[in-house]
Amino acid sequence: MCAPQHLEKSIRALGDIGDTARAVTTLRAAVHDVTDKRARQVLRDIAATGLIVKADPDRAIYRTTKQ
């Protein structure tokens, strides 16, 4: 399973993702060696699917959408 799929699965199971640090922790727990930069890209990729939306225009903080 690739990084976006692991993170998306976690978001669906746990709800709001929060921020880059939580994304990094989640991805590392799933055995992905990621940097903050990569985690932010994964969050943007997932946001493009509509599962999460950016909650702060200046920081990488996301929340889940109502589905």
Side-chain angles (χ1 to χ4, degrees):
M1 192 177 285
C2 70
Q5 290 172 322
H6 272 117
L7 190 53
E8 185 172 346
K9 182 178 177 184
S10 175
I11 292 168
R12 289 186 186 283
L14 301 174
D16 287 343
I17 188 59
D19 59 12
T20 303
R22 185 167 173 194
V24 168
T25 300
T26 300
L27 292 170
R28 286 186 178 161
V31 195
H32 292 284
D33 186 24
V34 296
T35 62
D36 284 358
K37 183 178 180 178
R38 175 66 179 133
R40 286 190 299 273
Q41 181 60 54
V42 171
L43 287 167
R44 285 190 297 270
D45 292 346
I46 294 171
T49 71
L51 177 63
I52 59 176
V53 294
K54 195 163 186 181
D56 185 319
D58 299 321
R59 300 181 342 191
I61 298 177
Y62 293 83
R63 63 176 175 78
T64 55
T65 58
K66 304 267 186 211
Q67 301 230 353

